[in-house]
Amino acid sequence: MTFKTKFTITLFAFVLAFSSCNTEDVAEQNADEAALSTNKEVNASTSKVGVCSEVPGWASQNGGTTGGGTSAETAVTTYAQLKSAIENTAVKVIKVSGTITVSARISFQNQTGKTIYGTSGARIVSTNQTKDGSGIIYFKGCKNIIIRNLIFEGPGAYDTDGWDNATLDNCQNVWVDHCEFRDGVDGNFDIKNKSDFITVSYTKFTYLKAPKAGGSGGSDDHRYSNLIGSSDSATADRGTFRITFARCWWASGCKERMPRVRFGKVHIINSYFNSSVSNKCIAAGFEANIKVENNVFENVKTPIELMTGLTAVTVTSGNVFTNTSGNKAGKNTAFTPPYSIVTLAASAVKSDVSAGAGATFSGNTCGSF
């Protein structure tokens, strides 16, 4: 073989290799861009770690949600320390470790720019099932709050007209991320009284304890997870309750209210419903405006309940219903969210959410989309 022939072959091989590498680089770049593109379906998990500025959903609006940011942390391991840190407006980041049992519901009031998060396995627990003594944390009049990587554990459902594990009351710009709410007395996590611009992401709702019957409220099984809006007559709530539930999991034991909505513009996207004891899942109440997008409903009853006086429910074609009974259809045309959010194809939702929802991080690590 002549030198010229050898050189030609070598040059051709080099060009071919360069072209192949360049093609792979372009393909990788295109894949990255596709994963980051807005409102575009993808077939695998796209959640990333470490980009705290990328708040998904409604909490990204109205100036955004940053919590306490990079402020110095205050570490707590006891009820007294937790209560003190929550009530101290100068404390901007609270790190919870271990299991803290609350002796009375903690009031988290009138604060702006604060983060409360848990280290791996951190739990805040209540064992009180009475009307006045139940509940864990009550957020009222707060703005720009982040709650992350915490387990809120109640003593089990008991209809004494008691309190939820956590309640947002007239709060704005709150991001609840990678938490678990289990076994609340009245409910797991409720949102009321003009609260607005809320995102709940990668959060798990469940009941692991049997409900206690015979409460004064009248229900023998009050495993009702999430209530949005307290009354049809609370018309001051109109124009608020802009809430996103993204990649959440209504898991075993949830009976109803996943969620039950009044007034709000609520976006439920890429979430997983698989409680086999369910009576109903998403309930559209008075003036509710709900977009139900690319979720998975599995082994549940009445995925969508259309109640009297609703505004609209849009159930997109991307939802999956497996072994369900009862209504699956919407009514009228719901709102269009003003934000962009990466959307999983429904085929990827079950594996992504069941692996990622709940207090699955090691601390104050951000899970953006």
PDB file of all heavy atoms in Angstrom, residues 148-185:
ATOM      1  N   ARG A 148     -39.067  22.015  53.513  1.00  0.00           N
ATOM      2  CA  ARG A 148     -38.442  20.976  52.693  1.00  0.00           C
ATOM      3  C   ARG A 148     -37.937  19.798  53.515  1.00  0.00           C
ATOM      4  O   ARG A 148     -37.426  19.936  54.619  1.00  0.00           O
ATOM      5  CB  ARG A 148     -37.258  21.593  51.914  1.00  0.00           C
ATOM      6  CG  ARG A 148     -36.448  20.587  51.120  1.00  0.00           C
ATOM      7  CD  ARG A 148     -35.410  21.226  50.229  1.00  0.00           C
ATOM      8  NE  ARG A 148     -36.042  21.900  49.104  1.00  0.00           N
ATOM      9  CZ  ARG A 148     -35.925  23.188  48.851  1.00  0.00           C
ATOM     10  NH1 ARG A 148     -35.188  23.952  49.645  1.00  0.00           N
ATOM     11  NH2 ARG A 148     -36.527  23.719  47.815  1.00  0.00           N
ATOM     12  N   ASN A 149     -38.111  18.608  52.939  1.00  0.00           N
ATOM     13  CA  ASN A 149     -37.488  17.372  53.425  1.00  0.00           C
ATOM     14  C   ASN A 149     -37.851  17.047  54.876  1.00  0.00           C
ATOM     15  O   ASN A 149     -37.025  16.608  55.661  1.00  0.00           O
ATOM     16  CB  ASN A 149     -35.961  17.451  53.285  1.00  0.00           C
ATOM     17  CG  ASN A 149     -35.340  16.061  53.161  1.00  0.00           C
ATOM     18  OD1 ASN A 149     -35.676  15.327  52.234  1.00  0.00           O
ATOM     19  ND2 ASN A 149     -34.472  15.688  54.087  1.00  0.00           N
ATOM     20  N   LEU A 150     -39.127  17.249  55.208  1.00  0.00           N
ATOM     21  CA  LEU A 150     -39.606  16.953  56.557  1.00  0.00           C
ATOM     22  C   LEU A 150     -40.755  15.968  56.516  1.00  0.00           C
ATOM     23  O   LEU A 150     -41.594  16.009  55.612  1.00  0.00           O
ATOM     24  CB  LEU A 150     -40.070  18.228  57.253  1.00  0.00           C
ATOM     25  CG  LEU A 150     -38.994  19.113  57.878  1.00  0.00           C
ATOM     26  CD1 LEU A 150     -39.569  20.486  58.214  1.00  0.00           C
ATOM     27  CD2 LEU A 150     -38.428  18.444  59.133  1.00  0.00           C
ATOM     28  N   ILE A 151     -40.812  15.117  57.530  1.00  0.00           N
ATOM     29  CA  ILE A 151     -41.965  14.246  57.743  1.00  0.00           C
ATOM     30  C   ILE A 151     -42.815  14.849  58.851  1.00  0.00           C
ATOM     31  O   ILE A 151     -42.321  15.099  59.950  1.00  0.00           O
ATOM     32  CB  ILE A 151     -41.537  12.822  58.133  1.00  0.00           C
ATOM     33  CG1 ILE A 151     -40.709  12.189  57.004  1.00  0.00           C
ATOM     34  CG2 ILE A 151     -42.753  11.951  58.458  1.00  0.00           C
ATOM     35  CD1 ILE A 151     -40.044  10.885  57.385  1.00  0.00           C
ATOM     36  N   PHE A 152     -44.084  15.110  58.544  1.00  0.00           N
ATOM     37  CA  PHE A 152     -45.045  15.590  59.536  1.00  0.00           C
ATOM     38  C   PHE A 152     -45.962  14.411  59.875  1.00  0.00           C
ATOM     39  O   PHE A 152     -46.734  13.963  59.028  1.00  0.00           O
ATOM     40  CB  PHE A 152     -45.865  16.751  58.983  1.00  0.00           C
ATOM     41  CG  PHE A 152     -45.060  17.986  58.686  1.00  0.00           C
ATOM     42  CD1 PHE A 152     -44.390  18.135  57.476  1.00  0.00           C
ATOM     43  CD2 PHE A 152     -44.965  19.014  59.620  1.00  0.00           C
ATOM     44  CE1 PHE A 152     -43.650  19.279  57.197  1.00  0.00           C
ATOM     45  CE2 PHE A 152     -44.228  20.157  59.352  1.00  0.00           C
ATOM     46  CZ  PHE A 152     -43.564  20.287  58.143  1.00  0.00           C
ATOM     47  N   GLU A 153     -45.869  13.927  61.099  1.00  0.00           N
ATOM     48  CA  GLU A 153     -46.576  12.697  61.468  1.00  0.00           C
ATOM     49  C   GLU A 153     -47.570  12.949  62.597  1.00  0.00           C
ATOM     50  O   GLU A 153     -47.202  13.355  63.699  1.00  0.00           O
ATOM     51  CB  GLU A 153     -45.588  11.616  61.899  1.00  0.00           C
ATOM     52  CG  GLU A 153     -46.246  10.309  62.289  1.00  0.00           C
ATOM     53  CD  GLU A 153     -45.252   9.247  62.696  1.00  0.00           C
ATOM     54  OE1 GLU A 153     -44.133   9.234  62.140  1.00  0.00           O
ATOM     55  OE2 GLU A 153     -45.586   8.447  63.584  1.00  0.00           O
ATOM     56  N   GLY A 154     -48.846  12.711  62.309  1.00  0.00           N
ATOM     57  CA  GLY A 154     -49.888  12.830  63.315  1.00  0.00           C
ATOM     58  C   GLY A 154     -50.218  11.491  63.937  1.00  0.00           C
ATOM     59  O   GLY A 154     -49.643  10.457  63.586  1.00  0.00           O
ATOM     60  N   PRO A 155     -51.202  11.474  64.855  1.00  0.00           N
ATOM     61  CA  PRO A 155     -51.548  10.244  65.571  1.00  0.00           C
ATOM     62  C   PRO A 155     -52.587   9.394  64.870  1.00  0.00           C
ATOM     63  O   PRO A 155     -52.956   8.321  65.365  1.00  0.00           O
ATOM     64  CB  PRO A 155     -52.095  10.770  66.892  1.00  0.00           C
ATOM     65  CG  PRO A 155     -52.706  12.079  66.532  1.00  0.00           C
ATOM     66  CD  PRO A 155     -51.861  12.653  65.426  1.00  0.00           C
ATOM     67  N   GLY A 156     -53.098   9.870  63.732  1.00  0.00           N
ATOM     68  CA  GLY A 156     -54.146   9.146  63.025  1.00  0.00           C
ATOM     69  C   GLY A 156     -55.417   9.973  62.935  1.00  0.00           C
ATOM     70  O   GLY A 156     -55.667  10.867  63.741  1.00  0.00           O
ATOM     71  N   ALA A 157     -56.224   9.671  61.933  1.00  0.00           N
ATOM     72  CA  ALA A 157     -57.444  10.432  61.695  1.00  0.00           C
ATOM     73  C   ALA A 157     -58.487  10.151  62.775  1.00  0.00           C
ATOM     74  O   ALA A 157     -58.759   8.997  63.121  1.00  0.00           O
ATOM     75  CB  ALA A 157     -58.012  10.078  60.328  1.00  0.00           C
ATOM     76  N   TYR A 158     -59.079  11.243  63.290  1.00  0.00           N
ATOM     77  CA  TYR A 158     -60.123  11.147  64.322  1.00  0.00           C
ATOM     78  C   TYR A 158     -60.948  12.424  64.221  1.00  0.00           C
ATOM     79  O   TYR A 158     -60.427  13.523  64.485  1.00  0.00           O
ATOM     80  CB  TYR A 158     -59.492  10.999  65.705  1.00  0.00           C
ATOM     81  CG  TYR A 158     -60.452  10.795  66.844  1.00  0.00           C
ATOM     82  CD1 TYR A 158     -61.641  10.084  66.689  1.00  0.00           C
ATOM     83  CD2 TYR A 158     -60.149  11.291  68.102  1.00  0.00           C
ATOM     84  CE1 TYR A 158     -62.512   9.886  67.762  1.00  0.00           C
ATOM     85  CE2 TYR A 158     -61.004  11.097  69.190  1.00  0.00           C
ATOM     86  CZ  TYR A 158     -62.179  10.398  69.003  1.00  0.00           C
ATOM     87  OH  TYR A 158     -63.044  10.210  70.066  1.00  0.00           O
ATOM     88  N   ASP A 159     -62.202  12.320  63.844  1.00  0.00           N
ATOM     89  CA  ASP A 159     -63.007  13.491  63.526  1.00  0.00           C
ATOM     90  C   ASP A 159     -63.537  14.173  64.782  1.00  0.00           C
ATOM     91  O   ASP A 159     -64.704  14.062  65.148  1.00  0.00           O
ATOM     92  CB  ASP A 159     -64.162  13.096  62.607  1.00  0.00           C
ATOM     93  CG  ASP A 159     -64.837  14.308  61.973  1.00  0.00           C
ATOM     94  OD1 ASP A 159     -64.319  15.423  62.156  1.00  0.00           O
ATOM     95  OD2 ASP A 159     -65.873  14.131  61.306  1.00  0.00           O
ATOM     96  N   THR A 160     -62.652  14.919  65.421  1.00  0.00           N
ATOM     97  CA  THR A 160     -63.015  15.706  66.603  1.00  0.00           C
ATOM     98  C   THR A 160     -63.104  17.197  66.273  1.00  0.00           C
ATOM     99  O   THR A 160     -63.084  18.034  67.176  1.00  0.00           O
ATOM    100  CB  THR A 160     -61.962  15.513  67.715  1.00  0.00           C
ATOM    101  OG1 THR A 160     -60.671  15.895  67.196  1.00  0.00           O
ATOM    102  CG2 THR A 160     -61.913  14.083  68.194  1.00  0.00           C
ATOM    103  N   ASP A 161     -63.165  17.521  64.957  1.00  0.00           N
ATOM    104  CA  ASP A 161     -63.062  18.913  64.505  1.00  0.00           C
ATOM    105  C   ASP A 161     -61.740  19.516  64.981  1.00  0.00           C
ATOM    106  O   ASP A 161     -61.663  20.691  65.357  1.00  0.00           O
ATOM    107  CB  ASP A 161     -64.243  19.748  65.005  1.00  0.00           C
ATOM    108  CG  ASP A 161     -65.550  19.331  64.349  1.00  0.00           C
ATOM    109  OD1 ASP A 161     -65.527  19.042  63.139  1.00  0.00           O
ATOM    110  OD2 ASP A 161     -66.579  19.269  65.046  1.00  0.00           O
ATOM    111  N   GLY A 162     -60.718  18.699  64.938  1.00  0.00           N
ATOM    112  CA  GLY A 162     -59.391  19.112  65.386  1.00  0.00           C
ATOM    113  C   GLY A 162     -58.606  19.780  64.275  1.00  0.00           C
ATOM    114  O   GLY A 162     -59.160  20.408  63.375  1.00  0.00           O
ATOM    115  N   TRP A 163     -57.273  19.609  64.306  1.00  0.00           N
ATOM    116  CA  TRP A 163     -56.376  20.342  63.424  1.00  0.00           C
ATOM    117  C   TRP A 163     -55.614  19.412  62.488  1.00  0.00           C
ATOM    118  O   TRP A 163     -55.466  18.219  62.749  1.00  0.00           O
ATOM    119  CB  TRP A 163     -55.400  21.170  64.250  1.00  0.00           C
ATOM    120  CG  TRP A 163     -56.094  22.230  65.047  1.00  0.00           C
ATOM    121  CD1 TRP A 163     -56.530  22.134  66.339  1.00  0.00           C
ATOM    122  CD2 TRP A 163     -56.473  23.526  64.597  1.00  0.00           C
ATOM    123  NE1 TRP A 163     -57.143  23.287  66.732  1.00  0.00           N
ATOM    124  CE2 TRP A 163     -57.125  24.179  65.674  1.00  0.00           C
ATOM    125  CE3 TRP A 163     -56.328  24.222  63.394  1.00  0.00           C
ATOM    126  CZ2 TRP A 163     -57.630  25.476  65.574  1.00  0.00           C
ATOM    127  CZ3 TRP A 163     -56.817  25.518  63.305  1.00  0.00           C
ATOM    128  CH2 TRP A 163     -57.457  26.121  64.386  1.00  0.00           C
ATOM    129  N   ASP A 164     -55.115  19.997  61.415  1.00  0.00           N
ATOM    130  CA  ASP A 164     -54.300  19.276  60.439  1.00  0.00           C
ATOM    131  C   ASP A 164     -52.851  19.218  60.912  1.00  0.00           C
ATOM    132  O   ASP A 164     -52.437  19.993  61.768  1.00  0.00           O
ATOM    133  CB  ASP A 164     -54.352  20.005  59.093  1.00  0.00           C
ATOM    134  CG  ASP A 164     -55.759  20.456  58.738  1.00  0.00           C
ATOM    135  OD1 ASP A 164     -56.632  19.590  58.634  1.00  0.00           O
ATOM    136  OD2 ASP A 164     -55.967  21.683  58.600  1.00  0.00           O
ATOM    137  N   ASN A 165     -52.085  18.333  60.290  1.00  0.00           N
ATOM    138  CA  ASN A 165     -50.647  18.342  60.581  1.00  0.00           C
ATOM    139  C   ASN A 165     -50.053  19.717  60.308  1.00  0.00           C
ATOM    140  O   ASN A 165     -49.244  20.220  61.085  1.00  0.00           O
ATOM    141  CB  ASN A 165     -49.932  17.290  59.734  1.00  0.00           C
ATOM    142  CG  ASN A 165     -50.056  15.895  60.307  1.00  0.00           C
ATOM    143  OD1 ASN A 165     -50.401  15.725  61.474  1.00  0.00           O
ATOM    144  ND2 ASN A 165     -49.791  14.892  59.485  1.00  0.00           N
ATOM    145  N   ALA A 166     -50.435  20.317  59.189  1.00  0.00           N
ATOM    146  CA  ALA A 166     -49.987  21.671  58.866  1.00  0.00           C
ATOM    147  C   ALA A 166     -51.092  22.393  58.109  1.00  0.00           C
ATOM    148  O   ALA A 166     -51.835  21.779  57.339  1.00  0.00           O
ATOM    149  CB  ALA A 166     -48.715  21.641  58.034  1.00  0.00           C
ATOM    150  N   THR A 167     -51.180  23.693  58.334  1.00  0.00           N
ATOM    151  CA  THR A 167     -52.179  24.535  57.662  1.00  0.00           C
ATOM    152  C   THR A 167     -51.519  25.821  57.199  1.00  0.00           C
ATOM    153  O   THR A 167     -50.735  26.424  57.936  1.00  0.00           O
ATOM    154  CB  THR A 167     -53.334  24.884  58.627  1.00  0.00           C
ATOM    155  OG1 THR A 167     -53.932  23.684  59.123  1.00  0.00           O
ATOM    156  CG2 THR A 167     -54.397  25.718  57.923  1.00  0.00           C
ATOM    157  N   LEU A 168     -51.833  26.227  55.967  1.00  0.00           N
ATOM    158  CA  LEU A 168     -51.458  27.551  55.477  1.00  0.00           C
ATOM    159  C   LEU A 168     -52.688  28.442  55.551  1.00  0.00           C
ATOM    160  O   LEU A 168     -53.711  28.152  54.928  1.00  0.00           O
ATOM    161  CB  LEU A 168     -50.961  27.493  54.027  1.00  0.00           C
ATOM    162  CG  LEU A 168     -49.700  26.691  53.725  1.00  0.00           C
ATOM    163  CD1 LEU A 168     -49.327  26.853  52.252  1.00  0.00           C
ATOM    164  CD2 LEU A 168     -48.534  27.107  54.612  1.00  0.00           C
ATOM    165  N   ASP A 169     -52.584  29.528  56.303  1.00  0.00           N
ATOM    166  CA  ASP A 169     -53.680  30.475  56.502  1.00  0.00           C
ATOM    167  C   ASP A 169     -53.193  31.860  56.069  1.00  0.00           C
ATOM    168  O   ASP A 169     -52.306  32.438  56.694  1.00  0.00           O
ATOM    169  CB  ASP A 169     -54.079  30.465  57.986  1.00  0.00           C
ATOM    170  CG  ASP A 169     -55.219  31.404  58.328  1.00  0.00           C
ATOM    171  OD1 ASP A 169     -55.494  32.345  57.551  1.00  0.00           O
ATOM    172  OD2 ASP A 169     -55.839  31.212  59.394  1.00  0.00           O
ATOM    173  N   ASN A 170     -53.761  32.362  54.975  1.00  0.00           N
ATOM    174  CA  ASN A 170     -53.392  33.684  54.449  1.00  0.00           C
ATOM    175  C   ASN A 170     -51.878  33.819  54.272  1.00  0.00           C
ATOM    176  O   ASN A 170     -51.251  34.782  54.721  1.00  0.00           O
ATOM    177  CB  ASN A 170     -53.923  34.798  55.362  1.00  0.00           C
ATOM    178  CG  ASN A 170     -53.837  36.171  54.707  1.00  0.00           C
ATOM    179  OD1 ASN A 170     -53.717  36.287  53.494  1.00  0.00           O
ATOM    180  ND2 ASN A 170     -53.871  37.217  55.515  1.00  0.00           N
ATOM    181  N   CYS A 171     -51.290  32.852  53.602  1.00  0.00           N
ATOM    182  CA  CYS A 171     -49.852  32.862  53.297  1.00  0.00           C
ATOM    183  C   CYS A 171     -49.654  32.977  51.789  1.00  0.00           C
ATOM    184  O   CYS A 171     -50.447  32.440  51.010  1.00  0.00           O
ATOM    185  CB  CYS A 171     -49.187  31.593  53.801  1.00  0.00           C
ATOM    186  SG  CYS A 171     -49.192  31.399  55.591  1.00  0.00           S
ATOM    187  N   GLN A 172     -48.578  33.640  51.396  1.00  0.00           N
ATOM    188  CA  GLN A 172     -48.279  33.820  49.982  1.00  0.00           C
ATOM    189  C   GLN A 172     -46.844  33.386  49.690  1.00  0.00           C
ATOM    190  O   GLN A 172     -45.957  33.574  50.503  1.00  0.00           O
ATOM    191  CB  GLN A 172     -48.454  35.297  49.563  1.00  0.00           C
ATOM    192  CG  GLN A 172     -49.888  35.793  49.572  1.00  0.00           C
ATOM    193  CD  GLN A 172     -50.410  36.097  50.952  1.00  0.00           C
ATOM    194  OE1 GLN A 172     -49.707  36.690  51.764  1.00  0.00           O
ATOM    195  NE2 GLN A 172     -51.645  35.692  51.246  1.00  0.00           N
ATOM    196  N   ASN A 173     -46.678  32.837  48.500  1.00  0.00           N
ATOM    197  CA  ASN A 173     -45.375  32.361  48.028  1.00  0.00           C
ATOM    198  C   ASN A 173     -44.753  31.381  49.012  1.00  0.00           C
ATOM    199  O   ASN A 173     -43.807  31.689  49.741  1.00  0.00           O
ATOM    200  CB  ASN A 173     -44.434  33.529  47.739  1.00  0.00           C
ATOM    201  CG  ASN A 173     -44.839  34.273  46.474  1.00  0.00           C
ATOM    202  OD1 ASN A 173     -45.582  35.246  46.538  1.00  0.00           O
ATOM    203  ND2 ASN A 173     -44.377  33.804  45.337  1.00  0.00           N
ATOM    204  N   VAL A 174     -45.306  30.192  48.999  1.00  0.00           N
ATOM    205  CA  VAL A 174     -44.815  29.086  49.826  1.00  0.00           C
ATOM    206  C   VAL A 174     -44.476  27.916  48.911  1.00  0.00           C
ATOM    207  O   VAL A 174     -45.263  27.547  48.037  1.00  0.00           O
ATOM    208  CB  VAL A 174     -45.862  28.663  50.870  1.00  0.00           C
ATOM    209  CG1 VAL A 174     -45.339  27.501  51.715  1.00  0.00           C
ATOM    210  CG2 VAL A 174     -46.251  29.842  51.758  1.00  0.00           C
ATOM    211  N   TRP A 175     -43.286  27.352  49.120  1.00  0.00           N
ATOM    212  CA  TRP A 175     -42.868  26.169  48.370  1.00  0.00           C
ATOM    213  C   TRP A 175     -42.676  25.016  49.361  1.00  0.00           C
ATOM    214  O   TRP A 175     -41.793  25.060  50.214  1.00  0.00           O
ATOM    215  CB  TRP A 175     -41.569  26.454  47.617  1.00  0.00           C
ATOM    216  CG  TRP A 175     -41.093  25.327  46.725  1.00  0.00           C
ATOM    217  CD1 TRP A 175     -41.781  24.218  46.330  1.00  0.00           C
ATOM    218  CD2 TRP A 175     -39.803  25.219  46.099  1.00  0.00           C
ATOM    219  NE1 TRP A 175     -41.019  23.429  45.504  1.00  0.00           N
ATOM    220  CE2 TRP A 175     -39.801  24.020  45.348  1.00  0.00           C
ATOM    221  CE3 TRP A 175     -38.666  26.030  46.111  1.00  0.00           C
ATOM    222  CZ2 TRP A 175     -38.692  23.607  44.613  1.00  0.00           C
ATOM    223  CZ3 TRP A 175     -37.556  25.622  45.371  1.00  0.00           C
ATOM    224  CH2 TRP A 175     -37.558  24.418  44.625  1.00  0.00           C
ATOM    225  N   VAL A 176     -43.525  24.013  49.239  1.00  0.00           N
ATOM    226  CA  VAL A 176     -43.417  22.783  50.034  1.00  0.00           C
ATOM    227  C   VAL A 176     -42.811  21.726  49.127  1.00  0.00           C
ATOM    228  O   VAL A 176     -43.428  21.313  48.142  1.00  0.00           O
ATOM    229  CB  VAL A 176     -44.791  22.335  50.557  1.00  0.00           C
ATOM    230  CG1 VAL A 176     -44.665  21.045  51.373  1.00  0.00           C
ATOM    231  CG2 VAL A 176     -45.444  23.441  51.383  1.00  0.00           C
ATOM    232  N   ASP A 177     -41.618  21.278  49.445  1.00  0.00           N
ATOM    233  CA  ASP A 177     -40.858  20.432  48.529  1.00  0.00           C
ATOM    234  C   ASP A 177     -40.287  19.219  49.257  1.00  0.00           C
ATOM    235  O   ASP A 177     -39.681  19.343  50.318  1.00  0.00           O
ATOM    236  CB  ASP A 177     -39.713  21.264  47.920  1.00  0.00           C
ATOM    237  CG  ASP A 177     -38.844  20.464  46.969  1.00  0.00           C
ATOM    238  OD1 ASP A 177     -39.397  19.813  46.066  1.00  0.00           O
ATOM    239  OD2 ASP A 177     -37.604  20.489  47.131  1.00  0.00           O
ATOM    240  N   HIS A 178     -40.513  18.040  48.689  1.00  0.00           N
ATOM    241  CA  HIS A 178     -39.968  16.800  49.231  1.00  0.00           C
ATOM    242  C   HIS A 178     -40.295  16.641  50.727  1.00  0.00           C
ATOM    243  O   HIS A 178     -39.404  16.461  51.558  1.00  0.00           O
ATOM    244  CB  HIS A 178     -38.463  16.715  49.000  1.00  0.00           C
ATOM    245  CG  HIS A 178     -38.110  16.311  47.595  1.00  0.00           C
ATOM    246  ND1 HIS A 178     -37.988  17.236  46.582  1.00  0.00           N
ATOM    247  CD2 HIS A 178     -37.887  15.096  47.035  1.00  0.00           C
ATOM    248  CE1 HIS A 178     -37.686  16.592  45.459  1.00  0.00           C
ATOM    249  NE2 HIS A 178     -37.619  15.294  45.699  1.00  0.00           N
ATOM    250  N   CYS A 179     -41.578  16.714  51.022  1.00  0.00           N
ATOM    251  CA  CYS A 179     -42.044  16.452  52.387  1.00  0.00           C
ATOM    252  C   CYS A 179     -42.981  15.257  52.392  1.00  0.00           C
ATOM    253  O   CYS A 179     -43.414  14.780  51.335  1.00  0.00           O
ATOM    254  CB  CYS A 179     -42.761  17.676  52.957  1.00  0.00           C
ATOM    255  SG  CYS A 179     -41.665  19.050  53.384  1.00  0.00           S
ATOM    256  N   GLU A 180     -43.310  14.782  53.583  1.00  0.00           N
ATOM    257  CA  GLU A 180     -44.324  13.739  53.738  1.00  0.00           C
ATOM    258  C   GLU A 180     -45.260  14.149  54.866  1.00  0.00           C
ATOM    259  O   GLU A 180     -44.812  14.517  55.954  1.00  0.00           O
ATOM    260  CB  GLU A 180     -43.710  12.375  54.040  1.00  0.00           C
ATOM    261  CG  GLU A 180     -44.764  11.283  54.214  1.00  0.00           C
ATOM    262  CD  GLU A 180     -44.188   9.891  54.395  1.00  0.00           C
ATOM    263  OE1 GLU A 180     -43.006   9.678  54.032  1.00  0.00           O
ATOM    264  OE2 GLU A 180     -44.912   9.017  54.909  1.00  0.00           O
ATOM    265  N   PHE A 181     -46.555  14.085  54.577  1.00  0.00           N
ATOM    266  CA  PHE A 181     -47.583  14.366  55.568  1.00  0.00           C
ATOM    267  C   PHE A 181     -48.374  13.084  55.785  1.00  0.00           C
ATOM    268  O   PHE A 181     -48.989  12.575  54.847  1.00  0.00           O
ATOM    269  CB  PHE A 181     -48.508  15.487  55.082  1.00  0.00           C
ATOM    270  CG  PHE A 181     -47.829  16.816  54.920  1.00  0.00           C
ATOM    271  CD1 PHE A 181     -47.177  17.151  53.740  1.00  0.00           C
ATOM    272  CD2 PHE A 181     -47.846  17.751  55.944  1.00  0.00           C
ATOM    273  CE1 PHE A 181     -46.552  18.386  53.581  1.00  0.00           C
ATOM    274  CE2 PHE A 181     -47.219  18.994  55.811  1.00  0.00           C
ATOM    275  CZ  PHE A 181     -46.572  19.298  54.621  1.00  0.00           C
ATOM    276  N   ARG A 182     -48.346  12.605  57.027  1.00  0.00           N
ATOM    277  CA  ARG A 182     -49.015  11.329  57.296  1.00  0.00           C
ATOM    278  C   ARG A 182     -49.848  11.403  58.573  1.00  0.00           C
ATOM    279  O   ARG A 182     -49.491  12.044  59.550  1.00  0.00           O
ATOM    280  CB  ARG A 182     -47.987  10.196  57.410  1.00  0.00           C
ATOM    281  CG  ARG A 182     -46.966  10.394  58.524  1.00  0.00           C
ATOM    282  CD  ARG A 182     -46.097   9.149  58.785  1.00  0.00           C
ATOM    283  NE  ARG A 182     -45.072   8.946  57.792  1.00  0.00           N
ATOM    284  CZ  ARG A 182     -43.887   8.402  58.053  1.00  0.00           C
ATOM    285  NH1 ARG A 182     -43.563   8.050  59.307  1.00  0.00           N
ATOM    286  NH2 ARG A 182     -43.009   8.225  57.086  1.00  0.00           N
ATOM    287  N   ASP A 183     -51.004  10.762  58.518  1.00  0.00           N
ATOM    288  CA  ASP A 183     -51.815  10.488  59.711  1.00  0.00           C
ATOM    289  C   ASP A 183     -52.256  11.735  60.465  1.00  0.00           C
ATOM    290  O   ASP A 183     -52.221  11.783  61.701  1.00  0.00           O
ATOM    291  CB  ASP A 183     -51.064   9.539  60.660  1.00  0.00           C
ATOM    292  CG  ASP A 183     -50.840   8.181  60.030  1.00  0.00           C
ATOM    293  OD1 ASP A 183     -51.827   7.577  59.593  1.00  0.00           O
ATOM    294  OD2 ASP A 183     -49.684   7.737  59.958  1.00  0.00           O
ATOM    295  N   GLY A 184     -52.683  12.771  59.732  1.00  0.00           N
ATOM    296  CA  GLY A 184     -53.233  13.945  60.388  1.00  0.00           C
ATOM    297  C   GLY A 184     -54.570  13.652  61.056  1.00  0.00           C
ATOM    298  O   GLY A 184     -55.332  12.788  60.608  1.00  0.00           O
ATOM    299  N   VAL A 185     -54.873  14.374  62.121  1.00  0.00           N
ATOM    300  CA  VAL A 185     -56.129  14.165  62.847  1.00  0.00           C
ATOM    301  C   VAL A 185     -57.314  14.616  61.994  1.00  0.00           C
ATOM    302  O   VAL A 185     -58.241  13.840  61.725  1.00  0.00           O
ATOM    303  CB  VAL A 185     -56.108  14.908  64.196  1.00  0.00           C
ATOM    304  CG1 VAL A 185     -57.480  14.845  64.873  1.00  0.00           C
ATOM    305  CG2 VAL A 185     -55.062  14.299  65.119  1.00  0.00           C
TER     306      VAL A 185
END
